[in-house]
Amino acid sequence: MKASRFGRNSAIAVMAAGALALTACGSDNATNTAQPAVPSSAVKVTGTLTGIGSSAQGAAMDVWKTNFASANQGANVQYSPDGSGAGRKAIIDGSAQFAGSDAYLKDDELAASKAKCGPDGALNIPVYISPIAVAFNLPDIKELKLDAPTVAKIFRGQVAKWNDPAIAALNPDAKLPDLNVTPVNRSDDSGTTTNFTDYLAAAAPEVWTDKSSGIWPASLKGENAKGTSGVVKTVTDTPGAVTYADDSAVSGKLGIAQIKVGGSFTKISADAAAKAVDAGKPVEGRNANDLSIKLDRKTTIEGAYPIVLVSFHVVCTTYDTKATADLVKAFESYVVSDAGQKAAADAAKSAPLSKTLQDKAIKSIESIKAKS
């Protein structure tokens, strides 16, 4: 992020040091060899923190939970990857202390969060940046070049065969099979779906006539499955199938598409996702400590990958007790720290937060308070 977009504060470095001292982690890798590094003078955090939400964050959450528990004896984080929609519902109704969501709270959700999160409602804090792969199961083909209109046609059922002229024109050297295209979408309310349909609606509006939504359009035919792991497994088991999923979950025999940006095609990568996020802007009309980001899906920046999700931890601005507020602040401080971001990158191929966005996140976390 450019400094002019999210701001800088020279005092944040001092704040970061104090906040991260609560949860310092002795390892920067995803092998979970972290050693407790909590100084004797630090505030001791104990208890169990409950989160619900994004399945795309699954691999990152696993390593974050393990490392945080290793560095904070007596503290534990439990997380159910039930989908972003379930996570946002849980933070609003108070059944979880934080939510993982691949889409920031909508205005009505933010208003509803005030009942449980205090008069300032909830905060959206970016913790995980990852590209969404267009992944397919084609014999002997691991890579294809696709543009936004063709991707939209594929998922609308307007491209019936993989050797369709629209795909062939973009891949003249590929030996495309005469195989049925089977689009596979998420069956649950999904932030990954929100981000994918947001890209299609912005980049191919003449084809994708539905609005961006976390719920897949019911009018479209195709297969569906629950969660990131569900759609990946379905495509892996189905020749000719294609889906959209967090890149960290795509492996094995599946191929991944390059996406046309401007006049060239961009391969999926963490760096390419980070470039796309750098082109985003803060959502207007939000709390100064809310870090919701509006992405530019039509970016023409060379090397940017526009089908990207910025996954948030949605937390309350105010918790009922100081113990809960301290535990939330300690965990989130670790998540956005250099150690936490590197652990996620190693485990899930995510892109670390930029220094500017990281500093802003630390300031946002420090603003969390308790009623008593």
Side-chain angles (χ1 to χ4, degrees):
M1 299 293 173
K2 294 181 180 178
S4 60
R5 186 168 288 130
F6 285 95
R8 295 299 298 268
N9 188 322
S10 60
I12 291 176
V14 176
M15 293 166 60
L20 299 181
L22 292 174
T23 55
C25 179
S27 172
D28 284 349
N29 59 48
T31 58
N32 303 329
T33 56
Q35 298 298 317
V38 182
S40 60
S41 60
V43 175
K44 181 174 176 61
V45 290
T46 59
T48 298
L49 192 61
T50 299
I52 297 173
S54 165
S55 60
Q57 284 188 34
M61 279 298 309
D62 285 344
V63 71
W64 285 336
K65 291 187 302 179
T66 300
N67 288 358
F68 181 73
S70 295
N72 296 271
Q73 299 300 318
N76 180 55
V77 178
Q78 55 187 20
Y79 183 78
S80 298
D82 298 334
S84 296
R88 294 194 302 276
K89 183 176 183 293
I91 191 72
I92 290 170
D93 67 23
S95 57
Q97 283 87 46
F98 76 97
S101 179
D102 303 333
Y104 55 80
L105 293 184
K106 298 176 183 177
D107 289 344
D108 60 336
E109 292 173 323
L110 189 59
S113 73
K114 294 179 180 180
K116 295 292 183 179
C117 290
D120 293 325
L123 293 173
N124 298 274
I125 302 173
V127 297
Y128 179 83
I129 296 171
S130 181
I132 298 171
V134 176
F136 53 86
N137 181 351
L138 290 178
D140 303 320
I141 298 178
K142 289 293 186 179
E143 201 168 78
L144 287 175
K145 294 178 179 179
L146 299 174
D147 57 17
T150 305
V151 174
K153 289 176 183 178
I154 287 171
F155 282 90
R156 292 198 78 84
Q158 296 174 8
V159 171
K161 298 280 188 177
W162 280 104
N163 61 355
D164 184 278
I167 299 176
L170 297 169
N171 300 272
D173 297 327
K175 295 181 179 179
L176 298 170
D178 183 21
L179 182 65
N180 288 337
V181 175
T182 303
V184 180
N185 63 269
R186 290 279 291 269
S187 62
D188 50 325
D189 186 346
S190 160
T192 307
T193 300
T194 299
N195 281 273
F196 185 60
T197 58
D198 188 52
Y199 164 73
L200 295 176
E206 69 286 353
V207 179
W208 194 265
T209 53
D210 293 281
K211 293 182 179 179
S212 170
S213 175
I215 300 174
W216 191 257
S219 62
L220 301 183
K221 297 180 180 179
E223 301 294 326
N224 64 71
K226 184 176 181 180
T228 301
S229 60
V231 294
V232 171
K233 184 179 187 305
T234 299
V235 174
T236 301
D237 295 342
T238 309
V242 58
T243 194
Y244 55 94
D246 188 89
D247 186 42
S248 67
V250 179
S251 59
K253 66 180 182 181
L254 299 187
I256 296 177
Q258 295 181 35
I259 299 298
K260 191 173 185 179
V261 177
S264 59
F265 291 87
T266 301
K267 288 186 177 182
I268 196 167
S269 72
D271 287 343
K275 282 188 177 182
V277 174
D278 282 346
K281 296 180 179 180
V283 175
E284 296 180 354
R286 296 294 174 101
N287 183 306
N289 289 312
D290 185 276
L291 303 182
S292 303
I293 301 171
K294 178 65 176 176
L295 298 170
D296 180 7
R297 303 296 188 181
K298 296 188 291 184
T299 181
T300 57
I301 296 174
E302 184 177 358
Y305 185 86
I307 317 179
V308 60
L309 65 83
V310 180
S311 200
F312 301 85
H313 278 178
V314 186
V315 300
C316 287
T317 53
T318 305
Y319 287 91
D320 288 338
T321 67
K322 185 176 184 299
T324 300
D326 285 346
L327 186 55
V328 171
K329 290 167 75 171
F331 176 63
E332 298 300 342
S333 294
Y334 165 64
V335 167
V336 304
S337 72
D338 288 343
Q341 288 293 294
K342 187 176 188 305
D346 290 345
K349 300 190 290 185
S350 58
L353 299 178
S354 67
K355 175 64 172 148
T356 300
L357 190 53
Q358 182 186 49
D359 287 350
K360 193 73 172 179
I362 291 166
K363 183 179 179 182
S364 181
I365 293 164
E366 282 298 299
S367 74
I368 296 169
K369 56 185 182 295
K371 293 179 182 177
S372 59

